[in-house]
């Protein structure tokens, strides 16, 4: 007997979108049958789409150490509300960063029993931890993040060229994956003022291109599998396309904010939180004292102009960019105050990534199957997360009911991540997550998430 059957006239399967009934047994997908409006022991979604749970491989949970920024309970609840059933946590900005086995143990201890969705972990490659890379790999991290420029936190410094070469060689020796924040420090400058134009000018597209070219050269030299994180500059697409055509194992991702926002948007003030006693029941327009000059849009690398955004969409359509992940990087509202020269660079969008991308994708003629490829299948394949990424027999029954034609206006008060700060405030988005199942169980307040490791790990 099946534990659950979910029917939908818009099931997004690996071979496309079609009516289907998905049977769940013991937490896994047991069968995919023709659609029925009256499934046994089940749910009929009708015209509400059924998607595989999204896999977000770029999330900063920040716990332990900076739990006041975010935490496993709040981040994973936001993830589930946004259709994300698996996330992989970045090795910073937690304290300690995940750069050695004891730090990984501390991270796992903080996450144990607190997660609403499944959670895996990246390790970090920093100066001086070359000897910890293989032990972390053996303990099950999905790969290793490094920076070519300042990370923003002193405990996770960047790698110089020689250090990067050594790390790439070591990671290649055991078949690992390296994921790179690629900005050339020689091309970065201090903003000449506090506005968005000055911030954008301080992190030009050439900084990304130069760093991506360096990563490609080292991937060719060492044979390591390399992935470019949060690509914002379309000027890099030809470099990546050539590397891929040459057979190099180099891939890239981009993020919802680069695909849906633009430099022109980074002018409107957004709500940055305040005393809940004074903001409870607030109007759609909070007091000026609780607003900031658009610093919720600040991230590194930066959101660029609308023409660049359209070229990123072309990179997705061509397959040069294979993943869309959030780079959910929250902080306290206080760190977002000030101007673009001083505010923390990070965007909170874990709950909003799916509707934001779907809103923009459908306007450009893409279908739900494209969004699933970019936000579920691609990230699962990148990290090698077992049993995830698609509605297929044998996979975990991680499923999402998505009202793809329904619209809503983003209200920060409805967000589940720790601080209600978002550049999407007040925007009308299309697509509402109505239900999320993790291994066939509805995701509710009970923390059903498991801690994941690479399947080859002991």
């Amino acid at each position: 007997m099946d534990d659950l059957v979910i029917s939908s006239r818009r099931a997004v399967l690996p071979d496309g979108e079609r009516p289907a009934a998905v049977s769940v047994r013991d937490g896994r997908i047991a069968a995919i049958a023709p659609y029925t409006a009256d499934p046994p022991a089940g749910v009929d979604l009708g015209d509400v789409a059924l998607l595989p749970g999204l896999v977000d491989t770029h999330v900063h949970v920040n716990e332990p150490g900076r739990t006041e920024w975010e935490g496993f309970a709040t981040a994973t609840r936001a993830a589930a509300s946004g259709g994300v059933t698996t996330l992989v946590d970045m090795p910073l900005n937690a304290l300690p960063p995940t750069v050695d086995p004891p730090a990984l143990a501390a991270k796992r201890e903080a996450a144990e029993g607190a997660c609403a969705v499944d959670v895996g972990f990246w390790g970090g490659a920093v100066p001086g931890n070359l000897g910890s890379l293989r032990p972390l790999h053996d303990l099950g991290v999905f790969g290793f993040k490094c920076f070519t420029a300042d990370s923003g936190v002193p405990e996770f410094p960047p790698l110089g060229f020689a250090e990067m070469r050594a790390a790439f060689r070591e990671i290649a020796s055991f078949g690992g994956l390296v994921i790179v924040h690629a900005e050339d420090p020689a091309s970065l400058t201090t903003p000449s003022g506090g506005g968005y134009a000055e911030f954008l000018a301080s992190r030009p597209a050439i900084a990304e291109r130069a760093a991506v070219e360096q990563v490609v050269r080292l991937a060719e030299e060492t044979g390591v599998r390399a992935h470019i994180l949060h690509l914002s500059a379309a000027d890099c697409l030809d470099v990546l396309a050539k590397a891929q055509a040459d057979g190099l194992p180099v891939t890239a991702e981009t993020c919802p904010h680069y695909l849906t926002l633009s430099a022109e948007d980074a002018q409107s003030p957004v709500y940055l939180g305040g005393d809940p006693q004074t903001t409870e029941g607030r109007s759609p327009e909070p007091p000026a004292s609780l607003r900031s000059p658009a610093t919720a849009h600040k991230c590194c690398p930066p959101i660029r102009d609308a023409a660049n955004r359209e070229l990123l969409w072309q990179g997705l359509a061509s397959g040069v960019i294979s993943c869309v992940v959030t780079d959910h990087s929250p902080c306290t509202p206080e760190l977002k105050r000030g101007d673009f020269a001083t505010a923390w660079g990070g965007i909170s969008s874990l709950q909003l990534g799916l509707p934001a991308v779907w809103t923009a994708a459908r306007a450009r003629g893409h279908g739900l199957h494209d969004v699933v490829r970019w936000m579920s299948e691609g990230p699962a394949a990148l990290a090698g997360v077992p049993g995830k990424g698609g509605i297929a027999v044998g996979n975990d029954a991680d499923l999402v009911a998505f009202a793809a034609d329904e619209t809503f206006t983003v209200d920060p008060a409805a967000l589940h991540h720790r601080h209600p700060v978002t550049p999407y405030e007040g925007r009308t988005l299309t697509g509402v997550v109505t239900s999320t199942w993790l291994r066939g169980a509805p995701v509710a307040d009970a923390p059903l998430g498991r801690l994941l490791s690479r399947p080859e790990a002991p």
Side-chain angles (χ1 to χ4, degrees):
M1 294 291 293
D2 295 323
D3 302 321
L4 175 68
V5 178
I6 305 175
S7 287
S8 170
R9 294 188 182 92
R10 300 186 65 183
V12 182
L13 308 175
D15 59 353
E17 181 181 324
R18 59 182 169 85
V22 178
S23 297
V24 178
R25 193 177 307 142
D26 297 328
R28 295 186 180 274
I29 297 172
I32 300 172
Y35 171 79
T36 172
D38 187 23
V43 177
D44 176 30
L45 299 179
D47 292 328
V48 172
L50 182 65
L51 314 183
L54 303 190
V55 179
D56 193 337
T57 52
H58 198 144
V59 178
H60 295 267
V61 176
N62 304 335
E63 186 177 8
R66 290 193 175 99
T67 310
E68 71 275 14
W69 292 17
E70 186 66 282
F72 285 103
T74 50
T76 59
R77 185 180 176 199
S81 296
V84 175
T85 53
T86 303
L87 63 85
V88 187
D89 175 57
M90 283 291 167
L92 74 162
N93 302 304
L95 291 170
T98 317
V99 296
D100 55 34
L104 177 61
K107 177 79 75 168
R108 293 180 68 89
E109 181 179 0
E112 189 69 50
C115 299
V117 302
D118 288 352
V119 174
F121 304 96
W122 296 109
V126 296
N129 85 323
L130 195 65
S132 294
L133 300 181
R134 186 181 289 268
L136 282 168
H137 177 78
D138 291 342
L139 287 170
V141 300
F142 286 91
F144 299 90
K145 181 176 186 176
C146 68
F147 280 75
T148 60
D150 180 34
S151 71
V153 291
E155 67 275 2
F156 203 98
L159 295 176
F161 183 78
E163 294 166 323
M164 189 180 300
R165 175 187 278 134
F168 279 29
R169 282 176 174 163
E170 175 67 7
I171 294 166
S173 74
F174 51 74
L177 168 66
V178 62
I179 59 175
V180 186
H181 180 124
E183 288 183 286
D184 174 28
S187 302
L188 304 179
T189 61
T190 301
S192 60
Y196 192 77
E198 292 91 344
F199 168 66
L200 183 59
S202 75
R203 305 188 88 97
I206 188 60
E208 282 191 79
R209 183 181 176 99
V212 168
E213 289 173 339
Q214 183 183 80
V215 171
V216 169
R217 287 195 300 271
L218 286 177
E220 183 174 23
E221 176 186 331
T222 65
V224 79
R225 188 160 66 101
H227 180 74
I228 303 299
L229 297 168
H230 45 46
L231 186 74
S232 87
D235 286 359
C236 301
L237 291 172
D238 63 326
V239 178
L240 291 164
K242 184 179 186 307
Q244 292 166 4
D246 290 343
L248 296 179
V250 179
T251 54
E253 68 187 38
T254 193
C255 303
H257 40 278
Y258 301 130
L259 295 170
T260 63
L261 304 176
S262 68
E264 295 83 352
D265 295 319
Q267 311 299 328
S268 301
V270 295
Y271 173 68
L272 289 185
D275 183 346
Q277 293 183 340
T278 62
T279 60
E280 185 174 323
R282 64 180 182 271
S283 67
E285 188 67 23
S289 61
L290 297 182
R291 300 183 73 81
S292 169
T295 51
H297 294 78
K298 181 180 178 180
C299 58
C300 299
I303 297 167
R304 304 190 189 277
D305 62 29
N308 177 87
R309 178 185 63 199
E310 298 312 309
L311 292 173
L312 291 178
W313 278 103
Q314 292 180 27
L316 265 177
S318 70
V320 174
I321 302 171
S322 56
C323 304
V324 179
V325 291
T326 61
D327 189 12
H328 178 75
S329 186
C331 64
T332 61
E334 290 72 24
L335 291 176
K336 274 293 189 184
R337 300 191 193 280
D339 59 28
F340 281 99
T342 59
W344 172 260
I347 289 178
S348 300
S349 58
L350 191 51
Q351 188 171 336
L352 298 173
L354 173 58
V357 172
W358 171 234
T359 300
R362 69 184 294 176
R364 291 164 174 81
H366 297 290
L368 280 174
H369 61 284
D370 295 312
V371 174
V372 164
R373 185 174 70 254
W374 301 327
M375 302 189 77
S376 186
E377 178 184 331
L382 167 73
V385 186
K388 311 292 186 181
I391 299 177
V393 173
N395 274 1
D396 289 348
D398 298 347
L399 301 165
V400 175
F402 186 61
D405 299 319
E406 188 174 332
T407 62
F408 70 102
T409 299
V410 177
D411 176 6
L415 300 177
H416 293 299
H417 58 259
R418 188 173 297 278
H419 301 290
V421 177
T422 173
Y424 294 101
E425 179 196 351
R427 286 177 173 263
T428 298
L429 301 179
T430 301
V432 174
V433 173
T434 61
S435 298
T436 304
W437 293 268
L438 184 67
R439 287 182 297 279
V443 176
D445 293 334
L448 301 176
R450 296 175 181 172
L451 305 188
L452 305 177
S453 296
R454 284 178 28 264
E456 303 87 355

PDB file of all heavy atoms in Angstrom, residues 45-66:
ATOM      1  N   LEU A  45      -4.192  17.813  -6.599  1.00  0.00           N
ATOM      2  CA  LEU A  45      -3.855  19.235  -6.710  1.00  0.00           C
ATOM      3  C   LEU A  45      -4.572  19.912  -7.864  1.00  0.00           C
ATOM      4  O   LEU A  45      -4.547  21.147  -7.963  1.00  0.00           O
ATOM      5  CB  LEU A  45      -2.349  19.400  -6.881  1.00  0.00           C
ATOM      6  CG  LEU A  45      -1.454  18.884  -5.753  1.00  0.00           C
ATOM      7  CD1 LEU A  45       0.026  19.105  -6.111  1.00  0.00           C
ATOM      8  CD2 LEU A  45      -1.783  19.569  -4.438  1.00  0.00           C
ATOM      9  N   GLY A  46      -5.172  19.134  -8.750  1.00  0.00           N
ATOM     10  CA  GLY A  46      -5.824  19.736  -9.905  1.00  0.00           C
ATOM     11  C   GLY A  46      -4.826  20.470 -10.778  1.00  0.00           C
ATOM     12  O   GLY A  46      -3.834  19.898 -11.235  1.00  0.00           O
ATOM     13  N   ASP A  47      -5.074  21.761 -10.999  1.00  0.00           N
ATOM     14  CA  ASP A  47      -4.201  22.555 -11.865  1.00  0.00           C
ATOM     15  C   ASP A  47      -3.016  23.171 -11.116  1.00  0.00           C
ATOM     16  O   ASP A  47      -2.213  23.883 -11.729  1.00  0.00           O
ATOM     17  CB  ASP A  47      -5.009  23.665 -12.541  1.00  0.00           C
ATOM     18  CG  ASP A  47      -6.002  23.117 -13.550  1.00  0.00           C
ATOM     19  OD1 ASP A  47      -5.698  22.079 -14.172  1.00  0.00           O
ATOM     20  OD2 ASP A  47      -7.095  23.702 -13.701  1.00  0.00           O
ATOM     21  N   VAL A  48      -2.928  22.943  -9.816  1.00  0.00           N
ATOM     22  CA  VAL A  48      -1.749  23.382  -9.079  1.00  0.00           C
ATOM     23  C   VAL A  48      -0.578  22.462  -9.462  1.00  0.00           C
ATOM     24  O   VAL A  48      -0.719  21.236  -9.473  1.00  0.00           O
ATOM     25  CB  VAL A  48      -1.992  23.342  -7.559  1.00  0.00           C
ATOM     26  CG1 VAL A  48      -0.717  23.607  -6.778  1.00  0.00           C
ATOM     27  CG2 VAL A  48      -3.068  24.357  -7.189  1.00  0.00           C
ATOM     28  N   ALA A  49       0.554  23.050  -9.790  1.00  0.00           N
ATOM     29  CA  ALA A  49       1.690  22.272 -10.273  1.00  0.00           C
ATOM     30  C   ALA A  49       2.328  21.473  -9.144  1.00  0.00           C
ATOM     31  O   ALA A  49       2.323  21.894  -7.978  1.00  0.00           O
ATOM     32  CB  ALA A  49       2.724  23.187 -10.914  1.00  0.00           C
ATOM     33  N   LEU A  50       2.877  20.322  -9.504  1.00  0.00           N
ATOM     34  CA  LEU A  50       3.656  19.504  -8.575  1.00  0.00           C
ATOM     35  C   LEU A  50       5.106  19.506  -9.040  1.00  0.00           C
ATOM     36  O   LEU A  50       5.423  19.047 -10.139  1.00  0.00           O
ATOM     37  CB  LEU A  50       3.115  18.080  -8.528  1.00  0.00           C
ATOM     38  CG  LEU A  50       3.830  17.141  -7.545  1.00  0.00           C
ATOM     39  CD1 LEU A  50       3.628  17.606  -6.105  1.00  0.00           C
ATOM     40  CD2 LEU A  50       3.347  15.700  -7.720  1.00  0.00           C
ATOM     41  N   LEU A  51       5.970  20.056  -8.199  1.00  0.00           N
ATOM     42  CA  LEU A  51       7.392  20.162  -8.513  1.00  0.00           C
ATOM     43  C   LEU A  51       8.201  19.273  -7.579  1.00  0.00           C
ATOM     44  O   LEU A  51       7.764  18.978  -6.457  1.00  0.00           O
ATOM     45  CB  LEU A  51       7.887  21.605  -8.324  1.00  0.00           C
ATOM     46  CG  LEU A  51       7.078  22.769  -8.882  1.00  0.00           C
ATOM     47  CD1 LEU A  51       7.836  24.079  -8.608  1.00  0.00           C
ATOM     48  CD2 LEU A  51       6.815  22.601 -10.354  1.00  0.00           C
ATOM     49  N   PRO A  52       9.413  18.884  -8.002  1.00  0.00           N
ATOM     50  CA  PRO A  52      10.325  18.307  -7.027  1.00  0.00           C
ATOM     51  C   PRO A  52      10.799  19.392  -6.069  1.00  0.00           C
ATOM     52  O   PRO A  52      10.858  20.578  -6.436  1.00  0.00           O
ATOM     53  CB  PRO A  52      11.489  17.791  -7.889  1.00  0.00           C
ATOM     54  CG  PRO A  52      11.478  18.679  -9.089  1.00  0.00           C
ATOM     55  CD  PRO A  52      10.026  19.013  -9.336  1.00  0.00           C
ATOM     56  N   GLY A  53      11.104  19.026  -4.837  1.00  0.00           N
ATOM     57  CA  GLY A  53      11.660  20.006  -3.922  1.00  0.00           C
ATOM     58  C   GLY A  53      12.913  20.636  -4.495  1.00  0.00           C
ATOM     59  O   GLY A  53      13.733  19.968  -5.135  1.00  0.00           O
ATOM     60  N   LEU A  54      13.045  21.937  -4.295  1.00  0.00           N
ATOM     61  CA  LEU A  54      14.230  22.628  -4.790  1.00  0.00           C
ATOM     62  C   LEU A  54      15.444  22.251  -3.951  1.00  0.00           C
ATOM     63  O   LEU A  54      15.335  21.903  -2.770  1.00  0.00           O
ATOM     64  CB  LEU A  54      14.028  24.139  -4.760  1.00  0.00           C
ATOM     65  CG  LEU A  54      12.840  24.714  -5.522  1.00  0.00           C
ATOM     66  CD1 LEU A  54      12.939  26.230  -5.576  1.00  0.00           C
ATOM     67  CD2 LEU A  54      12.712  24.128  -6.911  1.00  0.00           C
ATOM     68  N   VAL A  55      16.614  22.349  -4.585  1.00  0.00           N
ATOM     69  CA  VAL A  55      17.890  22.107  -3.912  1.00  0.00           C
ATOM     70  C   VAL A  55      18.686  23.399  -3.988  1.00  0.00           C
ATOM     71  O   VAL A  55      19.039  23.846  -5.078  1.00  0.00           O
ATOM     72  CB  VAL A  55      18.655  20.952  -4.573  1.00  0.00           C
ATOM     73  CG1 VAL A  55      19.995  20.733  -3.885  1.00  0.00           C
ATOM     74  CG2 VAL A  55      17.826  19.662  -4.542  1.00  0.00           C
ATOM     75  N   ASP A  56      18.933  24.006  -2.844  1.00  0.00           N
ATOM     76  CA  ASP A  56      19.662  25.284  -2.802  1.00  0.00           C
ATOM     77  C   ASP A  56      21.044  25.022  -2.219  1.00  0.00           C
ATOM     78  O   ASP A  56      21.199  24.800  -1.021  1.00  0.00           O
ATOM     79  CB  ASP A  56      18.908  26.309  -1.966  1.00  0.00           C
ATOM     80  CG  ASP A  56      19.445  27.721  -2.154  1.00  0.00           C
ATOM     81  OD1 ASP A  56      20.616  27.863  -2.556  1.00  0.00           O
ATOM     82  OD2 ASP A  56      18.707  28.690  -1.885  1.00  0.00           O
ATOM     83  N   THR A  57      22.032  25.055  -3.075  1.00  0.00           N
ATOM     84  CA  THR A  57      23.405  24.724  -2.668  1.00  0.00           C
ATOM     85  C   THR A  57      24.206  25.945  -2.245  1.00  0.00           C
ATOM     86  O   THR A  57      25.427  25.848  -2.093  1.00  0.00           O
ATOM     87  CB  THR A  57      24.133  24.001  -3.808  1.00  0.00           C
ATOM     88  OG1 THR A  57      24.018  24.774  -5.015  1.00  0.00           O
ATOM     89  CG2 THR A  57      23.553  22.619  -4.039  1.00  0.00           C
ATOM     90  N   HIS A  58      23.534  27.083  -2.032  1.00  0.00           N
ATOM     91  CA  HIS A  58      24.276  28.283  -1.644  1.00  0.00           C
ATOM     92  C   HIS A  58      23.488  29.044  -0.586  1.00  0.00           C
ATOM     93  O   HIS A  58      22.752  29.996  -0.874  1.00  0.00           O
ATOM     94  CB  HIS A  58      24.529  29.177  -2.861  1.00  0.00           C
ATOM     95  CG  HIS A  58      25.610  30.175  -2.646  1.00  0.00           C
ATOM     96  ND1 HIS A  58      26.477  30.554  -3.648  1.00  0.00           N
ATOM     97  CD2 HIS A  58      26.002  30.874  -1.555  1.00  0.00           C
ATOM     98  CE1 HIS A  58      27.342  31.447  -3.179  1.00  0.00           C
ATOM     99  NE2 HIS A  58      27.060  31.649  -1.891  1.00  0.00           N
ATOM    100  N   VAL A  59      23.650  28.609   0.668  1.00  0.00           N
ATOM    101  CA  VAL A  59      22.920  29.199   1.785  1.00  0.00           C
ATOM    102  C   VAL A  59      23.876  29.442   2.944  1.00  0.00           C
ATOM    103  O   VAL A  59      24.635  28.549   3.331  1.00  0.00           O
ATOM    104  CB  VAL A  59      21.769  28.282   2.250  1.00  0.00           C
ATOM    105  CG1 VAL A  59      21.045  28.902   3.442  1.00  0.00           C
ATOM    106  CG2 VAL A  59      20.793  28.019   1.108  1.00  0.00           C
ATOM    107  N   HIS A  60      23.833  30.645   3.495  1.00  0.00           N
ATOM    108  CA  HIS A  60      24.610  30.986   4.686  1.00  0.00           C
ATOM    109  C   HIS A  60      23.671  30.939   5.887  1.00  0.00           C
ATOM    110  O   HIS A  60      22.863  31.849   6.091  1.00  0.00           O
ATOM    111  CB  HIS A  60      25.222  32.382   4.560  1.00  0.00           C
ATOM    112  CG  HIS A  60      26.240  32.507   3.481  1.00  0.00           C
ATOM    113  ND1 HIS A  60      27.585  32.340   3.704  1.00  0.00           N
ATOM    114  CD2 HIS A  60      26.116  32.788   2.147  1.00  0.00           C
ATOM    115  CE1 HIS A  60      28.258  32.518   2.570  1.00  0.00           C
ATOM    116  NE2 HIS A  60      27.378  32.791   1.611  1.00  0.00           N
ATOM    117  N   VAL A  61      23.765  29.870   6.685  1.00  0.00           N
ATOM    118  CA  VAL A  61      22.907  29.740   7.856  1.00  0.00           C
ATOM    119  C   VAL A  61      23.482  30.498   9.058  1.00  0.00           C
ATOM    120  O   VAL A  61      22.739  30.986   9.910  1.00  0.00           O
ATOM    121  CB  VAL A  61      22.672  28.257   8.186  1.00  0.00           C
ATOM    122  CG1 VAL A  61      21.852  28.103   9.464  1.00  0.00           C
ATOM    123  CG2 VAL A  61      21.961  27.556   7.029  1.00  0.00           C
ATOM    124  N   ASN A  62      24.805  30.575   9.135  1.00  0.00           N
ATOM    125  CA  ASN A  62      25.512  31.415  10.130  1.00  0.00           C
ATOM    126  C   ASN A  62      25.544  30.845  11.546  1.00  0.00           C
ATOM    127  O   ASN A  62      26.107  31.480  12.443  1.00  0.00           O
ATOM    128  CB  ASN A  62      24.920  32.830  10.189  1.00  0.00           C
ATOM    129  CG  ASN A  62      24.921  33.525   8.849  1.00  0.00           C
ATOM    130  OD1 ASN A  62      25.728  33.217   7.981  1.00  0.00           O
ATOM    131  ND2 ASN A  62      24.002  34.445   8.655  1.00  0.00           N
ATOM    132  N   GLU A  63      24.952  29.705  11.770  1.00  0.00           N
ATOM    133  CA  GLU A  63      24.956  29.078  13.094  1.00  0.00           C
ATOM    134  C   GLU A  63      25.950  27.919  13.092  1.00  0.00           C
ATOM    135  O   GLU A  63      25.998  27.174  12.103  1.00  0.00           O
ATOM    136  CB  GLU A  63      23.557  28.559  13.434  1.00  0.00           C
ATOM    137  CG  GLU A  63      23.433  28.030  14.849  1.00  0.00           C
ATOM    138  CD  GLU A  63      22.013  27.578  15.205  1.00  0.00           C
ATOM    139  OE1 GLU A  63      21.148  27.539  14.303  1.00  0.00           O
ATOM    140  OE2 GLU A  63      21.774  27.256  16.372  1.00  0.00           O
ATOM    141  N   PRO A  64      26.751  27.764  14.157  1.00  0.00           N
ATOM    142  CA  PRO A  64      26.818  28.541  15.400  1.00  0.00           C
ATOM    143  C   PRO A  64      27.661  29.810  15.236  1.00  0.00           C
ATOM    144  O   PRO A  64      28.320  29.988  14.222  1.00  0.00           O
ATOM    145  CB  PRO A  64      27.500  27.577  16.368  1.00  0.00           C
ATOM    146  CG  PRO A  64      28.414  26.769  15.482  1.00  0.00           C
ATOM    147  CD  PRO A  64      27.665  26.602  14.180  1.00  0.00           C
ATOM    148  N   GLY A  65      27.640  30.631  16.241  1.00  0.00           N
ATOM    149  CA  GLY A  65      28.533  31.786  16.301  1.00  0.00           C
ATOM    150  C   GLY A  65      27.909  33.096  15.900  1.00  0.00           C
ATOM    151  O   GLY A  65      28.186  34.114  16.523  1.00  0.00           O
ATOM    152  N   ARG A  66      27.097  33.085  14.844  1.00  0.00           N
ATOM    153  CA  ARG A  66      26.394  34.302  14.433  1.00  0.00           C
ATOM    154  C   ARG A  66      24.908  33.995  14.267  1.00  0.00           C
ATOM    155  O   ARG A  66      24.263  34.417  13.310  1.00  0.00           O
ATOM    156  CB  ARG A  66      26.985  34.873  13.142  1.00  0.00           C
ATOM    157  CG  ARG A  66      28.389  35.477  13.325  1.00  0.00           C
ATOM    158  CD  ARG A  66      28.807  36.307  12.115  1.00  0.00           C
ATOM    159  NE  ARG A  66      30.081  36.972  12.338  1.00  0.00           N
ATOM    160  CZ  ARG A  66      31.264  36.530  11.893  1.00  0.00           C
ATOM    161  NH1 ARG A  66      31.318  35.398  11.176  1.00  0.00           N
ATOM    162  NH2 ARG A  66      32.373  37.188  12.131  1.00  0.00           N
TER     163      ARG A  66
END
